[in-house]
Amino acid sequence: MKKLFFLLFLSLNVFAGVAQTNEKLDLKDVVNGKYRPETIRNIVAMPDGEHYAQMNSEGTQVIKYSFKTGKPVEVIFDVDKARDGKFKKFDSYQFSPDGTKMLIATNTKPIYRHSFTADYYLYPLSKNLEGVTTNNKLERLSDGGPQQTPVFSPDGTMVAFVRDNNIHLVKMLYGNSESMVTEDGKTNTIINGHPDWVYEEEFGMKRALQFSPDNTMLAYIRFDESEVPTFDFQLFGGQAPQMSEYVDYPGSYSYKYPKAGQKNSNVEVRTFDIKSKVTRTMNVPLDNDGYIPRIQFTDDANKLAVMTLNRHQNKFDMYFVDPRSTVAKLALRDESPYYINDDIYNNIKFYPNNFSFVSEKDGYPHLYWYTMGGNLVKQVTKGDFEMKSFFGYDDKDGSFYYASNEESPMRQAIYKMDKNGKKTKLSQSEGINNATFSPSMKYYVNTYTNLNTPTVTTLNDNTGKVLNTLIDNKELNDKVAQQGLPQKEFFSFKTANGTELNGWMMKPTDFNPNKKYPVIQYQYSGPGSQQVLDNFGVSWETYMATQGFIVVCVDGRGTGGRGAQFQKSTYMKLGVQEAEDQVATAKYLGTLPYVDKNRIGIWGWSYGGYTTIMSMSEGTPVFKAGVAVAAPTDWKYYDTIYTERYMRTPKENANGYSASSAFNRANKLNGDLLIIHGMADDNVHYQNAAEYAEHLVQLNKQFDMQVYTNRNHGIYGGNTRNHLYRKMTNYFLNNL
């Protein structure tokens, strides 16, 4: 859930020295992304380490660029020149590890947040396996129907993929012959090589299938979800798009969704010997209700890394398993008195003699370096700050490359740490910096933004030197400067209990300190999230500041960037301290001479919608109005992995669930509340809104409600987003 933030929540500062046009900000332009900065998307580092590829915006070409200069080198795929392709554009692409082939995806159809099916085509880049020029010939990966999560073998001669919950294997050396690796896959029962709903949503798992580095084995996770309870939601004919099969009689969608305290999938790791066709089950120590959030082959074909979590998610074990003998050996254990964060997996990287790991054992997430025998070599980063991303290790000179927020919880910079512990800051501008490194670690693409600066994308070498500016967003920069849009300012204050909280504020462009203004508080508030960051954006909040509102955002207790103690203070009692801190924010704002304390509103999406309701029901009547979008209302309705990470099960923590339920404080709801929800939300079910609304009805609490037909957790499609934000705009205009 924490990964679904409102995509356009940012604001910007006025740029000095540019003549202002006072052109009015149009809500539809904001919602439709007219002010969204241009970025480089779909960058893929090529296996040679010297080049990267990028898909053009039209989805018709893949262009090869030099990491050294940032200049295009050649068009390596062009739909118009490809032979035997029955499509005019494509959706995504991937390279084989040896760099000789590509997979081109078309006809992509989403399933959930990450998962999708597509029709994949093989495209040799230069010569085929017999050394004959390919002449731009495309070949279908399979004629048996759409595929999921295809993966190349390291030598590029095979592709494994999932279809209908079974793993299939295509061998190019044998005329693209296709065979089935598994045959027991069945909808809502058995899944092979692909995550179930809750693993995909909460562990960010996109694939559960991998080749061994010697190309002889496939390893995969088998999910048995037969005992997981089924959830159904109704579908209607609708529009944008219209589902004609449901025009007269509504249909339904059924899938396995484990709610807090309910049964999860039974998981196990299996391997398939490609030559002998023998399937084996790995002997990995795992509780009956435990998790396997990742598997990954190391550089050693005899060491398959299997990562496990207990159901409480406070004990992480990584085993090295022999894929043939099935014997597992514990390589690493990490424990927490609270929980292990779900973002550690992307920072575990394997090298011939070492592997990286991120732990909060000293109170902050930091990078640790281990031998392949599981012995700690050193703690790479140290201090009262968070290591945010580990980009990689250069085994030629022993340097580590990473991002951290050591300058400020609201900023992020790129660093290099050499083998002697000498640290060098590579990024040159203060704000939020991110990097995509070449496999050789010689170059990286840096994206930078701050309050005043739309995203600037540069090509840098590994000393931080800028080799080329790829995108500067000058046109957008000039446009927002000329319009004189509201300016975001950082502030901080201390609550009554002594906690210092960070926030930003936008005042109307014609702000008069002698007037009193209504306020809208925006927040997300979920564990580990951050909304108060030094980055750019023109959003609905910007628009509302042009309508005469002061807009404020404060990150309360439980949010990220400030270490484990701050983030995990909400453990076992979600929503309680978050609501207290939003109430404290409203009280603080009410002391400012230009704020009308009787006209303060609050809003949020997803966890932010939940915190909106909890804050309006905290017992202190500081909010006159609020809007809760796609909000969970009781954690017993939400999934096992997310909920139990922070709350354990309802049986174990009955008091915590009771205190965290919006139902149990609904009698204290104060102010005008608008509830918004999509009826086809597979994440936070419409059940949350429907049951809470009924509860308010029986309490004789008046409220407003907007329901969107066939919309999921993002609530978009056709004119939906524009309608939603217009509804919110009018609600706050009318009530504040």
Side-chain angles (χ1 to χ4, degrees):
M1 180 191 290
K2 82 175 186 179
K3 299 177 182 68
L4 187 92
F5 300 150
F6 172 36
L7 298 178
L8 296 172
F9 74 93
L10 303 174
S11 63
L12 64 151
N13 275 12
V14 175
F15 294 77
V18 181
Q20 295 185 359
T21 63
N22 292 319
E23 177 187 345
K24 288 186 177 180
L25 193 61
D26 183 81
L27 177 59
K28 200 161 190 175
D29 286 343
V30 174
V31 173
N32 292 341
K34 183 177 179 179
Y35 292 86
R36 191 176 301 137
E38 180 187 357
T39 58
I40 293 182
R41 301 182 184 187
N42 299 310
I43 279 185
V44 177
M46 298 187 71
D48 65 5
E50 294 295 322
H51 299 91
Y52 65 89
Q54 185 185 357
M55 182 175 139
N56 69 355
S57 59
E58 294 81 17
T60 59
Q61 293 180 331
V62 177
I63 305 167
K64 179 179 179 180
Y65 292 84
S66 166
F67 260 121
K68 191 172 184 178
T69 66
K71 303 292 185 183
V73 175
E74 62 175 319
V75 176
I76 57 178
F77 176 75
D78 191 324
V79 165
D80 292 334
K81 295 180 180 179
R83 293 174 51 226
D84 298 336
K86 295 178 171 56
F87 51 90
K88 297 297 184 183
K89 63 179 182 177
F90 60 98
D91 304 318
S92 61
Y93 66 99
Q94 65 189 79
F95 293 104
S96 61
D98 66 349
T100 64
K101 304 173 190 69
M102 295 172 66
L103 274 173
I104 305 293
T106 68
N107 196 28
T108 298
K109 295 181 179 177
I111 303 173
Y112 302 118
R113 191 193 300 277
H114 303 294
S115 56
F116 58 88
T117 62
D119 295 326
Y120 285 90
Y121 288 79
L122 283 162
Y123 184 75
L125 287 176
S126 52
K127 298 177 184 296
N128 65 15
L129 297 167
E130 289 74 38
V132 179
T133 303
T134 61
N135 296 320
N136 300 323
K137 184 177 174 62
L138 281 161
E139 293 181 273
R140 276 186 173 273
L141 176 61
S142 171
D143 291 322
Q147 306 95 50
Q148 284 180 267
T149 59
V151 58
F152 275 107
S153 61
D155 64 2
T157 65
M158 295 177 284
V159 175
F161 66 85
V162 175
R163 178 195 292 125
D164 298 330
N165 291 3
N166 279 313
I167 299 169
H168 297 246
L169 182 63
V170 173
K171 296 180 179 179
M172 286 165 251
L173 290 173
Y174 295 89
N176 292 357
S177 65
E178 181 180 330
S179 59
M180 291 184 70
V181 173
T182 66
E183 297 183 359
D184 61 343
K186 184 179 178 182
T187 300
N188 287 339
T189 306
I190 301 293
I191 309 174
N192 293 291
H194 194 275
D196 66 3
W197 184 93
V198 73
Y199 270 67
E200 175 184 328
E201 175 66 27
E202 305 303 358
F203 287 141
M205 182 186 283
K206 299 178 183 179
R207 178 190 294 122
L209 172 67
Q210 194 176 46
F211 281 95
S212 63
D214 63 358
N215 310 287
T216 65
M217 305 283 285
L218 274 170
Y220 62 95
I221 302 176
R222 179 182 185 269
F223 296 82
D224 181 349
E225 59 177 2
S226 56
E227 297 181 30
V228 177
T230 300
F231 191 86
D232 303 279
F233 55 80
Q234 202 165 24
L235 294 170
F236 300 88
Q239 296 183 39
Q242 184 183 75
M243 293 184 280
S244 57
E245 66 270 34
Y246 303 136
V247 167
D248 294 323
Y249 291 90
S252 65
Y253 182 79
S254 300
Y255 68 117
K256 295 303 184 86
Y257 185 104
K259 299 197 174 193
Q262 300 289 338
K263 188 79 172 66
N264 279 310
S265 291
N266 291 315
V267 289
E268 58 186 24
V269 179
R270 293 185 176 183
T271 60
F272 175 76
D273 190 308
I274 295 170
K275 185 175 182 181
S276 69
K277 297 185 165 76
V278 173
T279 298
R280 302 175 175 91
T281 300
M282 302 297 99
N283 290 313
V284 178
L286 182 69
D287 298 337
N288 289 333
D289 56 359
Y291 299 108
I292 302 177
R294 290 290 189 281
I295 59 171
Q296 185 178 345
F297 267 106
T298 68
D299 287 0
D300 182 347
N302 296 315
K303 286 185 176 180
L304 171 66
V306 178
M307 306 171 201
T308 71
L309 277 175
N310 61 338
R311 182 144 180 175
H312 286 162
Q313 300 177 66
N314 60 3
K315 185 175 77 171
F316 170 91
D317 286 336
M318 183 167 73
Y319 296 92
F320 287 151
V321 188
D322 188 306
R324 288 186 170 85
S325 74
T326 76
V327 174
K329 181 181 179 181
L330 182 66
L332 175 73
R333 172 169 290 171
D334 194 38
E335 296 183 85
S336 167
Y338 308 103
Y339 54 86
I340 304 292
N341 277 324
D342 65 319
D343 55 2
I344 65 169
Y345 310 108
N346 295 331
N347 293 309
I348 299 174
K349 300 182 188 297
F350 295 100
Y351 299 87
N353 301 309
N354 302 90
F355 67 86
S356 61
F357 186 72
V358 174
S359 173
E360 293 180 318
K361 63 180 70 177
D362 74 349
Y364 291 83
H366 282 300
L367 181 65
Y368 293 80
W369 193 237
Y370 288 84
T371 68
M372 288 302 292
N375 297 313
L376 178 63
V377 177
K378 61 181 175 179
Q379 180 177 345
V380 179
T381 62
K382 299 178 182 178
D384 293 346
F385 62 88
E386 295 190 354
M387 200 290 302
K388 306 298 284 187
S389 297
F390 174 50
F391 301 119
Y393 170 74
D394 188 345
D395 56 7
K396 294 183 178 61
D397 64 7
S399 296
F400 299 87
Y401 295 87
Y402 63 92
S404 79
N405 68 354
E406 57 192 89
E407 295 177 324
S408 163
M410 297 174 286
R411 298 185 177 93
Q412 182 171 296
I414 313 300
Y415 294 89
K416 172 183 178 179
M417 182 83 75
D418 70 16
K419 62 182 178 181
N420 298 317
K422 181 184 176 183
K423 180 170 58 181
T424 304
K425 181 182 174 185
L426 302 183
S427 51
Q428 299 175 14
S429 301
E430 189 177 80
I432 299 292
N433 291 270
N434 269 305
T436 300
F437 273 80
S438 66
S440 64
M441 309 307 293
K442 289 170 61 177
Y443 311 103
Y444 68 95
V445 175
N446 190 89
T447 57
Y448 153 72
T449 178
N450 67 17
L451 295 184
N452 303 310
T453 310
T455 306
V456 175
T457 304
T458 58
L459 185 65
N460 303 59
D461 66 20
N462 61 8
T463 69
K465 179 183 177 182
V466 176
L467 304 175
N468 194 5
T469 298
L470 305 178
I471 298 175
D472 61 11
N473 276 297
K474 184 178 184 303
E475 184 177 340
L476 175 61
N477 197 343
D478 291 345
K479 179 177 177 61
V480 296
Q482 290 168 2
Q483 285 188 250
L485 297 179
Q487 179 178 357
K488 185 190 291 183
E489 307 163 1
F490 288 129
F491 70 95
S492 64
F493 72 99
K494 281 191 177 181
T495 64
N497 63 19
T499 304
E500 184 168 347
L501 301 179
N502 297 321
W504 55 252
M505 177 185 294
M506 272 192 289
K507 298 171 184 173
T509 45
D510 59 352
F511 176 73
N512 181 346
N514 297 315
K515 287 180 59 178
K516 286 189 178 290
Y517 292 87
V519 172
I520 299 172
Q521 288 178 213
Y522 163 71
Q523 44 68 50
Y524 181 78
S525 301
S529 66
Q530 281 186 268
Q531 308 305 302
V532 182
L533 292 168
D534 192 3
N535 53 11
F536 170 92
V538 179
S539 67
W540 179 77
E541 286 79 14
T542 312
Y543 175 78
M544 293 307 285
T546 69
Q547 302 302 300
F549 293 89
I550 292 175
V551 185
V552 171
C553 178
V554 166
D555 280 341
R557 285 171 291 175
T559 57
R562 297 176 62 176
Q565 184 176 358
F566 188 84
Q567 177 181 326
K568 298 179 179 181
S569 63
T570 61
Y571 185 59
M572 300 287 273
K573 51 182 184 300
L574 290 183
V576 177
Q577 292 179 165
E578 297 94 314
E580 290 174 358
D581 287 348
Q582 293 305 314
V583 168
T585 300
K587 286 182 174 180
Y588 164 74
L589 294 172
T591 68
L592 302 178
Y594 45 82
V595 167
D596 184 343
K597 67 179 182 180
N598 296 314
R599 289 190 293 156
I600 298 178
I602 184 171
W603 95 277
W605 196 305
S606 194
Y607 200 103
Y610 164 68
T611 305
T612 293
I613 294 173
M614 292 291 284
S615 301
M616 295 178 70
S617 312
E618 189 265 352
T620 308
V622 292
F623 296 109
K624 188 174 185 293
V627 178
V629 184
T633 54
D634 193 304
W635 291 108
K636 70 182 180 183
Y637 294 142
Y638 201 57
D639 72 58
T640 48
I641 294 177
Y642 185 92
T643 305
E644 294 174 16
R645 181 186 301 145
Y646 310 117
M647 293 286 287
R648 297 202 175 180
T649 67
K651 186 176 180 180
E652 294 172 291
N653 183 23
N655 290 337
Y657 275 79
S658 177
S660 297
S661 173
F663 290 81
N664 292 335
R665 54 170 65 183
N667 62 320
K668 295 187 289 185
L669 176 66
N670 183 80
D672 297 302
L673 174 64
L674 170 61
I675 299 169
I676 298 176
H677 219 105
M679 293 188 71
D681 192 333
D682 62 280
N683 186 354
V684 179
H685 299 143
Y686 175 63
Q687 176 187 24
N688 286 268
E691 295 286 8
Y692 182 67
E694 169 67 4
H695 198 69
L696 293 180
V697 168
Q698 299 310 320
L699 287 171
N700 199 30
K701 290 279 186 178
Q702 294 297 314
F703 62 96
D704 295 281
M705 195 165 181
Q706 174 68 55
V707 175
Y708 287 100
T709 305
N710 294 347
R711 301 305 169 200
N712 65 13
H713 198 51
I715 313 182
Y716 59 88
N719 188 53
T720 306
R721 267 299 171 92
N722 181 56
H723 185 278
L724 186 153
Y725 286 115
R726 177 61 63 192
K727 182 79 174 180
M728 288 171 48
T729 298
N730 292 339
Y731 199 77
F732 281 124
L733 286 171
N734 292 335
N735 289 289
L736 295 184

